[in-house]
Amino acid sequence: MARIDMLVKLFTGFVYVNVILGYVESSYSGVTGYHDAIRRMALFKAAHIIRNGAPQPQSYSTPLVVSRSRVLHVTDYGADPTGRLDSTEALEQAISDAFGSPVNAHLMEGIADLGGTEIHLDGGTYKISRPLRLPKTSGGNFMIHGGSLHASNNFPTDRHLIELWPSSAYLSYEYITLKDLMINSNFRGGGISIINSLRTIIDNCYISHFTTNGILIQDGHETYIRNSFIGQHINIGGDHREKDFSGIGINIMGNDNAVTDVVIFSASIGVMVSGQANVLTGVHCYNKATALGGTGIYVKAPGLTQTRIMNCYFDFTGIVAEDPVQLHITGSFFLGNAFVLIKSLAGVVCGVNIVDNMFSGDYTGVEIVQLEQSNVPFTNIDQVIVDRNNVRGMVLKSTVARGSVWSNGTTWTVDFSRVLLFPNLIKNVQYTLHAGATFPNHMLRNISNNCVTVESNVPVTATLHVSVDQSMVGYI
């Protein structure tokens, strides 16, 4: 066989030389048979390979590099995608293997880079009887995605189906992504808990049947929740069980987190915020109506709030904020008598903007912004702006107001008590007394009880135009 291969190579070389020589000769004669000769040589070589097989490649000293995929399929570990059998151990083993092969790189100091390793659920539904808790060893750049998790009937009621729960107070997880998951807590505990973790992403998840929290964020930094649906009971509103809804859709007990384009369709509280520097955008809450004791977003960070709520939809359920300091609510729609309640614990409300929102109600006299002062009245009020909101079927409340009154006499009074938010609080007044051809002396006499009174020295027919502002407290 070796002699035959050698002869073939010699013959092929001979043909090639003849082809080149023939091409050179024909180039002078004007005849180009080069391409025909190349085709003949290719046919000859193909015929030899068909008869004798392809020649074996030469062996070199360079070792062959074998790469292993970083996508781990849970079905390869014996997980049951039908959901009939318990798949807890198989899923735990897959996660353990993912954390056991870091690359030679690091994220934050002490956090191993897992190189983009994925746990792929292969579109199956998996029953688990205990939480899928990430290993105690640190890790990041890791994803779980593409399937459904269902809590078994003996799943612990005080835990969550997926838990990022470090064994120490140090940051142990960074850039963990939970994506394209359907999580059914089976009314036994919660859905996802993110504790002391950094830059976590929850994207396109559907979390249901929880009794504690759909998602819990505690400490850590920068968890981003987006494009997800969360509800204790699956419904589309008007559920006869609504008065019994419990639990919290998203419970944020940390700083610098973001919730974007999320629907919370059943829970006692849609979003609970008890940390600072969080932002909520495009959140639709119809979790439990205010009339039934529910709250859309509860801001429970008294004294230092630093929360932004923008472009949200409050569907028969509103916002509660305790002693807010730096709270921004804007561009949102409040339907079905939904309103903003500012609750006094120590009488503090500072740096609050409630502007450019829409309110719609049923004409039963519900105010768009309300004060709850049963503990103590608000006494520390500074830079509170409630303005430029449009209202239909509810009672407008504001910290800025304008009004006019016509009278023939020596006193003119404009009553702002129906529209101003804080009782008996006017700190800035601008007025004009329009008296026609007469030029009386006049002055501001009284601003008590949110009424502005101007008096002239002589009787005159005139119109008083007044602008007042409650937001100027604290300025010299």
Side-chain angles (χ1 to χ4, degrees), residues 366-387:
V366 178
E367 299 173 350
I368 65 169
V369 181
Q370 302 179 21
L371 305 177
E372 204 284 283
Q373 304 182 83
S374 60
N375 292 319
V376 294
F378 286 108
T379 54
N380 186 355
I381 305 168
D382 184 23
Q383 303 177 67
V384 179
I385 301 174
V386 180
D387 194 20

Side-chain angles (χ1 to χ4, degrees), residues 76-402:
D76 293 341
Y77 288 81
D80 176 17
T82 69
R84 290 192 296 268
L85 302 177
D86 192 311
S87 297
T88 308
E89 291 187 2
L91 295 173
E92 288 176 337
Q93 187 59 56
I95 294 172
S96 177
D97 285 357
F99 273 69
S101 57
V103 299
N104 187 24
H106 287 274
L107 298 166
M108 286 290 289
E109 184 178 356
I111 300 179
D113 186 346
L114 303 181
T117 300
E118 302 177 14
I119 299 294
H120 203 308
L121 299 184
D122 299 307
T125 298
Y126 303 92
K127 181 166 65 176
I128 59 175
S129 54
R130 58 181 177 269
L132 298 179
R133 182 173 177 179
L134 297 193
K136 294 180 180 180
T137 57
S138 69
N141 192 10
F142 166 70
M143 177 189 294
I144 301 175
H145 67 108
S148 303
L149 299 175
H150 189 286
S152 67
N153 292 331
N154 60 343
F155 191 92
T157 57
D158 59 345
R159 301 293 293 275
H160 297 74
L161 270 71
I162 298 178
E163 294 182 346
L164 278 64
W165 187 354
S167 57
S168 68
Y170 297 102
L171 293 171
S172 295
Y173 308 120
E174 180 182 1
Y175 190 37
I176 304 294
T177 301
L178 306 175
K179 184 178 181 182
D180 302 336
L181 299 174
M182 189 163 189
I183 296 178
N184 182 349
S185 298
N186 194 25
F187 300 108
R188 300 188 64 83
I192 300 172
S193 68
I194 311 294
I195 300 175
N196 208 20
S197 301
L198 178 62
R199 303 183 185 110
T200 306
I201 298 171
I202 299 174
D203 187 12
N204 193 35
C205 291
Y206 191 119
I207 302 171
S208 65
H209 300 146
F210 53 88
T211 55
T212 53
N213 305 291
I215 299 174
L216 169 66
I217 302 170
Q218 184 175 330
D219 299 325
H221 234 32
E222 300 162 2
T223 293
Y224 276 48
I225 304 170
R226 62 196 183 205
N227 307 322
S228 294
F229 303 90
I230 300 171
Q232 184 180 62
H233 298 271
I234 297 177
N235 66 82
I236 195 169
D239 195 311
H240 67 279
R241 301 164 294 184
E242 184 171 350
K243 61 181 177 60
D244 298 319
F245 288 173
S246 62
I248 301 172
I250 302 175
N251 192 352
I252 302 175
M253 304 170 66
N255 303 338
D256 301 356
N257 305 289
V259 180
T260 307
D261 298 334
V262 169
V263 176
I264 302 175
F265 53 84
S266 62
S268 180
I269 298 173
V271 182
M272 174 76 83
V273 182
S274 54
Q276 288 75 42
N278 297 293
V279 59
L280 293 83
T281 309
V283 178
H284 180 191
C285 295
Y286 61 100
N287 47 288
K288 186 176 185 178
T290 299
L292 298 176
T295 303
I297 296 177
Y298 199 121
V299 184
K300 197 178 183 67
L304 188 60
T305 309
Q306 296 177 332
T307 297
R308 293 157 291 160
I309 301 172
M310 305 179 295
N311 302 326
C312 294
Y313 177 13
F314 297 92
D315 200 343
F316 285 78
T317 186
I319 298 174
V320 176
E322 297 181 349
D323 277 359
V325 175
Q326 292 193 308
L327 171 65
H328 187 63
I329 302 170
T330 188
S332 296
F333 178 42
F334 295 77
L335 178 67
N337 290 336
F339 58 88
V340 179
L341 177 67
I342 303 176
K343 188 174 182 179
S344 173
L345 300 182
V348 177
V349 53
C350 300
V352 175
N353 303 320
I354 304 173
V355 295
D356 300 322
N357 301 285
M358 296 190 299
F359 293 83
S360 179
D362 60 3
Y363 296 90
T364 55
V366 178
E367 299 173 350
I368 65 169
V369 181
Q370 302 179 21
L371 305 177
E372 204 284 283
Q373 304 182 83
S374 60
N375 292 319
V376 294
F378 286 108
T379 54
N380 186 355
I381 305 168
D382 184 23
Q383 303 177 67
V384 179
I385 301 174
V386 180
D387 194 20
R388 301 194 310 271
N389 300 294
N390 70 70
V391 178
R392 186 174 185 272
M394 298 179 72
V395 176
L396 175 67
K397 302 298 285 187
S398 180
T399 58
V400 178
R402 292 164 292 278

Side-chain angles (χ1 to χ4, degrees), residues 412-414 416 426 429 444 446-447 450-454 466 468:
W412 295 262
T413 299
V414 180
F416 293 103
I426 295 177
V429 178
L444 181 64
N446 199 341
I447 57 172
N450 286 341
C451 294
V452 175
T453 299
V454 172
V466 183
V468 296

